[in-house]
Amino acid sequence: MRISDILSSSAVTLSFEVFPPKTSDSFDSVLESAKNIAALRPDFMSVTYGAGGGTSKFTAEIAADIQNTYNVPMLAHLTCVSSTKETVLSTVRAYAEHGIENIMALRGDIPADGKIEKDYEHAYQLIEDIKSCGDFCIGGACYPEGHIECVHKSDDIKYLKQKVDAGCNFLTTQMFFDNNIFYNFLYRAREAGINVPILPGIMPITKARQLKRSIAMSGTNVPERFYAIVDRFGEDPAAMKQAGIIYASEQIIDLIANGITHIHVYSMNYPDVAMGIMKNLDHILTGRKDYLSL
Ligand code: FAD
């Protein structure tokens, strides 16, 4: 099923993200976690491509397995900056062969040694190539606080519009911990003529060290209120997990209360975190009771 069709509904939707394993040794345990998340019946799930330490070669396999077993529509990520056109096009064909019709088109981070292939500079070029390969539903990334490499937010929005015009059907944001940042971004995006659905990406921080890593990677602003939670509960794993799930759930409730209906959760590979969020929202996600059977 195309994600654009899911997003055209006015019902509240919730999607979860997983990442592939680093090595084949942990493939089975990652697939098991992804399946436990799929058993919660999210509206769709995404599998990253080489992010979070995962290996891109497993993305298609995990996405196809979950889609076939649980009938949960899958979004397979794809990055381009470290790939040749040939590799990208063969990956797109492999996605199609696995029955995947939704692709998250990303540039990818520039490697620390600065070495990149010459075929792609930006995600919009990847989007053009995916479109030339078939009728895919394409997602793109956006950054409410501006992409870390972009000096001026106005340029970031200008390039985002270019990316959407190249053929993005929807956008998903980088994590943020203050919803006002998202509302402000949404206003600026709409003002710039970006009219596709924009899904807020919510990252439940359930371990103190995860916060440091997330900020270093994204430059995301962390409210004092959240620092206080990490200071107070960071040394107590169970308490930190509970507080992180509740913080993310509160963000989601505020978003829904303000008319944002489609929410993407960076559930990593933690079924208990995905489940905790769904439980906190059970009356809000009406009619979605399957998780109780887990
Ligand atoms: P782009 O859209 O190309 O933008 C990158 C930078 O270039 C921005 O600063 C932008 O303003 C600028 N820019 C864009 N177009 C132009 C232009 N025409 N001229 C000049 N400048 C331009 N990484 C992974 O490795 N694997 C994943 O699975 C993954 N999933 C992600 C999912 C989401 C929802 C998000 C938000 C990020 C994800 N990332 C992933 C990280 C992403 O690859 C990085 O943030 C990367 O640095 C930028 O990717 P992009 O697709 O946004 O790039």
Side-chain angles (χ1 to χ4, degrees):
M1 185 172 191
R2 292 170 75 88
I3 287 170
S4 50
D5 290 338
I6 298 169
L7 301 179
S8 66
S9 138
S10 58
V12 173
T13 69
L14 202 60
S15 49
F16 290 125
E17 183 160 304
V18 296
F19 57 85
K22 250 187 207 159
T23 63
S24 39
D25 289 350
S26 46
F27 182 85
D28 288 345
S29 69
V30 167
L31 185 62
E32 183 69 16
S33 300
K35 285 183 170 179
N36 285 338
I37 293 176
L40 300 170
R41 305 273 167 220
D43 291 275
F44 70 89
M45 280 173 69
S46 61
V47 187
T48 65
Y49 189 87
T55 308
S56 49
K57 68 177 180 185
F58 298 120
T59 299
E61 207 177 329
I62 291 178
D65 195 325
I66 293 174
Q67 189 162 274
N68 295 337
T69 314
Y70 288 89
N71 206 19
V72 171
M74 296 304 291
L75 169 66
H77 291 206
L78 177 59
T79 65
C80 59
V81 79
S82 300
S83 298
T84 60
K85 232 179 216 295
E86 201 186 348
T87 309
V88 161
L89 297 181
S90 75
T91 308
V92 173
R93 282 193 289 271
Y95 284 174
E97 280 159 18
H98 278 92
I100 291 158
E101 31 182 354
N102 306 292
I103 302 180
M104 185 75 178
L106 300 141
R107 183 197 71 176
D109 283 325
I110 307 289
D113 62 8
K115 276 192 191 151
I116 55 168
E117 292 290 341
K118 295 195 178 60
D119 289 352
Y120 296 97
E121 263 183 281
H122 295 292
Y124 80 89
Q125 296 159 317
L126 173 63
I127 291 164
E128 288 170 353
D129 276 359
I130 295 172
K131 277 182 80 73
S132 73
C133 284
D135 185 21
F136 291 95
C137 171
I138 303 175
C142 61
Y143 305 84
E145 292 164 85
H147 183 259
I148 202 152
E149 290 165 27
C150 203
V151 181
H152 300 292
K153 281 187 184 172
S154 55
D155 286 341
D156 214 28
I157 288 275
K158 183 178 80 186
Y159 294 132
L160 186 60
K161 171 86 167 82
Q162 177 189 34
K163 188 153 78 171
V164 171
D165 290 346
C168 257
N169 298 96
F170 66 95
L171 296 167
T172 305
T173 75
Q174 187 171 61
M175 75 185 94
F176 55 87
F177 300 108
D178 173 353
N179 286 359
N180 288 326
I181 290 172
F182 174 77
Y183 299 135
N184 180 283
F185 168 72
L186 194 58
Y187 177 81
R188 285 184 292 117
R190 298 301 185 226
E191 197 180 38
I194 296 169
N195 294 318
V196 295
I198 301 181
L199 280 67
I202 300 298
M203 168 79 91
I205 299 285
T206 54
K207 293 180 178 137
R209 66 167 191 278
Q210 197 189 341
L211 183 64
K212 263 196 201 141
R213 205 176 47 229
S214 302
I215 301 169
M217 278 168 63
S218 62
T220 306
N221 170 60
V222 180
E224 285 306 314
R225 188 168 96 79
F226 197 73
Y227 275 125
I229 289 174
V230 177
D231 280 350
R232 176 70 181 81
F233 304 115
E235 302 288 304
D236 179 340
M240 187 60 225
K241 186 186 278 185
Q242 186 170 41
I245 290 172
I246 291 173
Y247 191 95
S249 304
E250 282 183 356
Q251 269 193 284
I252 295 171
I253 290 167
D254 179 74
L255 287 163
I256 296 171
N258 282 284
I260 309 298
T261 42
H262 308 298
I263 318 275
H264 189 61
V265 179
Y266 296 114
S267 49
M268 319 287 279
N269 294 343
Y270 301 131
D272 55 341
V273 173
M275 175 127 163
I277 288 180
M278 277 197 137
K279 271 191 168 162
N280 285 342
L281 302 174
D282 60 354
H283 290 289
I284 291 167
L285 301 167
T286 44
R288 207 175 286 271
K289 301 286 184 199
D290 317 33
Y291 68 85
L292 290 175
S293 63
L294 244 195

